[in-house]
Every structure is written in C-alpha cells, then in structure tokens.
Amino acid sequence: MGTLALLRAAGIGVGDEVVVPAFGTPEAARVVVLAGAVPVFADIDPITYCLDPAAVAEVIGPRTAGVVAVGTFGRPVESVRLHGLGRRHGLLVLEHPEEGAAVADVPQRRVHAAYLDRRLSGVVTPECVEGHSYRQYVVRVPGNGRPDRDAFARAIRARGVACSVPVKTPVHRTPDYLRRAVLPRTERAADETLALPVDAAMSRRDLQRVVSACNALGGLLAPA
C-alpha cells in the first residue's frame, strides 16, 4: 500500500495533523493534504538532511496523528528513533519513498563518493552511513548564505563540472504550503547545499576534474 492508502486505512484525515519534512520535494505534504489532514513541518538533522526525531517531538500536539518521513539524497531516514517516538506518542510513522530513489550501480556510486570524500577540501562532504545509495552526492558550501553557494556553483560549471542545487526552496516557503514554521536548519541547508556528479559511468579523470575545480576555489567566495 502507498502512503496515502496507509494514512486513510489508519483513519487519518480531517482534523488531524501529520509531521513531514520541508527539506525536499512537496510530495509528502501533498499526500497528507490528499488524505484530508494538515501537514506540520519539522526541522531536519543538519548531517542527514532527514527529519530530526527531536525536532519532530517538539511539534507534536494534541491533533498530531502521524509522521511521514522521507529519505534524502539516497540516505535512509532515522527509522529506529522515529518509530520509537511513534510508539511513545501513539503515532503512525510512515516512510514515504524518496522521489527518484531507485538508482543503478549503487556500489560504483559508493566507490566514487569515497574518492570524493578523501580528496575534496573547502566543502563539507556527506557523512558515509550504511544504506546510503548516493542518489545525489551533496556537499555544503560554507559561507554567508545563498550567494556563496551559487557563486561556487557558477565557478565550477565554468570549469566543466555539472552541479545542481538540490533544494531551491523549502516546502514551507512555497505558496501551496506556506507556514509560519521556524526551521533554521532546513533553511540553512537549502542555502548551502550543492549536488556534485557521482554517476557510476564517471571515469577517474571525470572525478579528478570535480576535485580540481572545487579545491581550486577553497570553498568560500565573496557574495556575487
């Protein structure tokens, strides 16, 4: 059964609230709305980019009926802690599939990710954990906000390295789901994260190009 069907089967609907992440696509929030419930956004763990169980606990209220967690960039959610939280509060905890989660050649992606982990400097590389498929290899460009990350992206693209901003706007800041939520870690991640190529088909020379382009910049740029 899909997430929507599971919410409905549990009787979750009008009058209920369901905790979801704001970092990522709006799919989890959309499913909650389709069930008739209200999505409530909780902050993320700054390392995993997934829902932080402690942040989830902070937004649980009398109308909270469930939690819908989503893996991020190929990294699994904090299942054990979230399900423990659900048991303590009597909440349904579901893991919604990450959009585009299925990727081929995961072992090779992990090899490439490990290569980048060892050689990149000036950016914060993702933490390696069991089960990470590296659907996207996402680093942080430290600095004073969006201009630094965006200037960094423009500079490495000019050096022939494809990259993308994985989350341009957190869901709670979009018109359809506008909420007065205070999510500093979500918003900072949206300002600092950048997805670098780690495709299985990349050659060692391709990876070296990524490393050279990134390390030449040192990670910090003045705002454009």
Side-chain angles (χ1 to χ4, degrees):
M1 295 175 71
T3 303
L4 178 58
L6 289 169
L7 289 171
R8 287 174 171 168
I12 294 176
V14 177
D16 294 323
E17 295 179 345
V18 178
V19 182
V20 297
F23 188 74
T25 71
E27 182 61 21
R30 187 186 71 85
V31 169
V32 170
V33 171
L34 287 174
V38 175
V40 173
F41 297 104
D43 217 345
I44 58 169
D45 180 288
I47 295 175
T48 69
Y49 303 114
C50 298
L51 276 177
D52 179 359
V56 172
E58 290 177 358
V59 299
I60 291 175
R63 295 173 57 192
T64 308
V67 179
V68 175
V70 186
T72 310
F73 310 137
R75 181 175 183 134
V77 302
E78 300 266 1
S79 298
V80 174
R81 293 176 63 197
L82 285 173
H83 283 283
L85 185 67
R87 286 191 296 271
R88 288 194 299 275
H89 292 273
L91 306 176
L92 176 70
V93 176
L94 300 176
E95 296 180 31
H96 188 73
E98 182 181 8
E99 188 174 326
V103 293
D105 301 314
V106 171
Q108 191 60 46
R109 283 175 171 270
R110 289 173 176 158
V111 170
H112 289 174
Y115 179 92
L116 295 179
D117 287 345
R118 292 192 299 270
R119 290 166 175 80
L120 283 174
S121 61
V123 297
V124 181
T125 58
E127 184 181 87
C128 178
V129 294
E130 185 178 355
H132 200 327
S133 70
Y134 292 98
R135 183 181 69 82
Q136 289 183 284
Y137 183 87
V138 175
V139 301
R140 281 183 184 258
V141 181
N144 297 316
R146 187 166 305 189
D148 301 281
R149 186 272 315 278
D150 291 350
F152 188 95
R154 288 193 296 271
I156 65 171
R157 287 186 189 118
R159 290 167 169 79
V161 175
C163 62
S164 63
V165 174
V167 178
K168 294 181 179 178
T169 305
V171 181
H172 72 298
R173 295 299 187 196
T174 61
D176 289 342
Y177 302 99
L178 196 61
R179 298 287 189 276
R180 291 181 178 177
V182 179
L183 308 175
R185 296 193 296 274
T186 292
E187 295 187 3
R188 183 173 179 182
D191 284 346
E192 293 185 347
T193 50
L194 188 68
L196 300 177
V198 73
D199 301 343
M202 291 176 70
S203 66
R204 182 58 58 88
R205 179 173 294 180
D206 293 331
L207 292 168
Q208 289 171 342
R209 183 182 298 113
V210 173
V211 171
S212 296
C214 291
N215 289 359
L217 298 174
L220 286 173
L221 295 176

